[in-house]
Structures are given as C-alpha cells and as structure tokens.
Amino acid sequence: MDHEKVAIIIPYFGTLPNYFDLWLESVRENEFINVFFFSNNNKPINCPSNIHWKRTSFCDVKKKIQSLFDFSIVLDTPYKLVDYKPTYGIVFEKYIENYEWWGWGDIDTIWGNLSLIINENTLKKYDKILDLGHLTLMKNNYKMKNLWKEKVLGAWTYEDAFKSNMIYHFDEGGGLAFIAQKAKYKVYSEKPNEMNFADILPYKCDFELAYNQKEKNIPHIFTWKNGILIGYWIQNNKMYSKEYAYIHLQKRRMELQLKSKKYNQGFIIIPNRFIPYDKKITTNLILKFQNNQGLTNPTKKISFASFLNYLEYTKFKLKSKKRHIPINGNEVYFKIEKPKY
C-alpha cells in the first residue's frame, strides 16, 4: 500500500500515558499510516519515522478551530477536542493535502495490523471507514472534510456540540456517523460480534468487548508481537484466538511491567498490566486472568469519573424521547459525557 495514502491527525496535550512507548512501537509496525501528532510534549527519542511530531500548544489549536466560526466555541479543556475531530480535515488541511485519506485516532490503544480494516478494498470502495473516535478515516475531498456541517433529522448539529461544555462525542454516533449514514455516503462499519477491533469496556475489571454479546468472542488476554495483535479466550475448556486490528483501552489504568524497553520483542496485555511475552499462551494462563483472577491490583469496577459519565448518559437517555442512532449496526442512545478537568 502507498506510504503516503493515509494520514491520521492526533492533537494531544498533557501527560502522556505510561504505555505511550508501546503505542509508538505499534505505530512503527504500520508503515503505510502517517500520524501527525500535535502536542505540547517534546518529541520522544524513539519516535518512529511515520509519526510527524508537531510541537504546539492547546491554545494555538483552539485558535485555529475558532477561526472557522463566527460564534464563540466552547473548548476549555483538551478533552473537549473529541467533539472537534471532524473539523481536523480543514484545521490541519496543509498537512494532509498530499494524502488520499485523513482521519483521527486515540493513543489509549495498541495497534495490531491495521490493514485488517484499512486496505485497498476499503479505501477504494468507501467514503468513510469506521464510526468511533478511537479510529475513523475520511476520504480527502471537499465533501468529507465538510461533512460535519451537514444537518440531518435526528442527529446532533455541530452548533449543538460546539456551543456546549458537555461532551457530545460529535465525531461518533450521535453526530458524524449518523450524518454520514443519512446523507447516503458509503460507510464501512464493522458488524457487531464480528469486529476486527477490540473496544474494551472501561468499567469492568476483566476484559469485555463493547458491542459484543457473544461470550465466546470475548478475549481474556491479548498478545502483541511484530505488529500482530491476538486475542485469546476459552470456550468449553478449549482455547480460541482471533487477530485484531487494534485494542482500545479507554479509561483503563494499566501497569507497565516489562523487563526491558525492547518492546518489539512483544508483550502480553492482561486487564491491568502489560507483562513480558516470555511464556507460552496456554489454557491455564488464560483462565488465570479470567474473571479477575491473577490480578494483583485489579482495575476498579467503575471509577468515580466513569460513574458521573454513566449518570449523565442515563439522564440524557431518559430525556431523549426515543431519539436513537445506529453505531456499527446497533441502535443505541446518544452518549454524552461531562467534561474532564
């Protein structure tokens, strides 16, 4: 695949995750993806060549976004940037002009082989690839860069999201995903229970996949080595596995317990730790970390911040008057979060 076909834009301000080096290594293995990383952090020494580090401030990015509007936007904290991701194609236009595709992603992820999703077939057939904020791609043309301006019945408008201090997740189902679907653009969305990415629920100790209701497809541990991410689970005392394009560890506290910084040698991902890939993956090993067993310091069931978000989500669900939208084929209510400070 052409090395200069896909660009992902990631503004990030504040303390980087403790496993940021693992994310860097996983990006390195996806040479066909170019990441433009805008941050107030210094460029890491081990930054791969396909990450283009741009030192900047949150205030500068806010000014660039504000320049698109004739009203005062609400963008008081970096977390609120999630609502503005659909504008990145215009805000950072000069960086992506030579690319056929642009998009956004999150760094609380570990990439496997992204070509499971982003490949010649999907890039050729669709206008938009995926619906969720942790990874979404858009064709680099006028219509898709301005898709967020379109208004369709039942979806949040950009004015709704940009004039409020609430987190609308306008880049996802309640906004852009619904707009793209109703406007009849060609969108590649993965089917529930068959997804090639592992979106981990944040309020469970053990790994549980969002949008997945089949217990047999819930991996209990993952391995990463040489750019390949594998999830493992047990069914009827038999071990099964599946390759994933990436894992999303949203709001999950993870310990880094690797013996060296030679991350390309691989590692195992369990619900609260990254540990060395120095043991054979067996049924007993997987069962050890199933249902919180073997966790020395398990992630709490639900953090206080997550609890507040859940209450906010519930409140808006009750107020929604049956307004709902599809996310990857599922009918779900709008998810709105309080801003994080």
Side-chain angles (χ1 to χ4, degrees), residues 73-98:
I73 64 171
V74 178
L75 183 51
D76 298 329
T77 66
Y79 188 70
K80 177 66 175 175
L81 280 168
V82 300
D83 283 333
Y84 294 90
K85 289 177 179 179
T87 70
Y88 289 173
I90 298 176
V91 175
F92 302 102
E93 191 169 28
K94 71 176 183 179
Y95 297 99
I96 62 170
E97 57 186 6
N98 294 324

Side-chain angles (χ1 to χ4, degrees), residues 125-244:
K125 291 175 60 176
Y126 298 95
D127 301 306
K128 181 174 180 287
I129 298 174
L130 298 181
D131 299 320
L132 299 172
H134 33 89
L135 187 64
T136 294
L137 292 183
M138 312 273 281
K139 192 165 282 187
N140 194 6
N141 56 38
Y142 179 84
K143 286 185 177 181
M144 300 310 291
K145 284 191 291 190
N146 289 274
L147 179 62
W148 54 274
K149 298 178 183 178
E150 296 194 27
K151 298 180 180 180
V152 301
L153 183 64
W156 301 118
T157 68
Y158 70 88
E159 290 103 331
D160 292 331
F162 300 170
K163 292 181 179 181
S164 172
N165 66 347
M166 301 296 289
I167 306 300
Y168 274 68
H169 294 279
F170 182 68
D171 58 318
E172 298 187 342
L176 203 73
F178 197 41
I179 292 170
Q181 183 190 75
K182 290 299 182 180
K184 304 298 183 182
Y185 288 98
K186 296 179 180 178
V187 180
Y188 174 78
S189 297
E190 303 235 293
K191 297 178 180 179
N193 304 318
E194 298 178 9
M195 290 181 175
N196 286 310
F197 60 85
D199 191 11
I200 305 297
L201 289 172
Y203 48 83
K204 295 292 185 72
C205 284
D206 50 334
F207 284 149
E208 185 173 329
L209 301 184
Y211 317 113
N212 192 320
Q213 303 302 318
K214 293 184 178 180
E215 178 67 26
K216 68 178 183 180
N217 289 338
I218 297 176
H220 300 304
I221 68 171
F222 292 81
T223 61
W224 185 95
K225 189 172 185 178
N226 298 323
I228 303 299
L229 178 71
I230 305 291
Y232 297 86
W233 69 93
I234 303 298
Q235 182 185 9
N236 298 326
N237 295 318
K238 185 177 180 180
M239 180 172 62
Y240 294 86
S241 65
K242 176 183 175 179
E243 182 178 357
Y244 289 87

Side-chain angles (χ1 to χ4, degrees), residues 65-79:
I65 298 175
Q66 177 63 75
S67 68
L68 301 180
F69 305 97
D70 58 6
F71 61 85
S72 295
I73 64 171
V74 178
L75 183 51
D76 298 329
T77 66
Y79 188 70

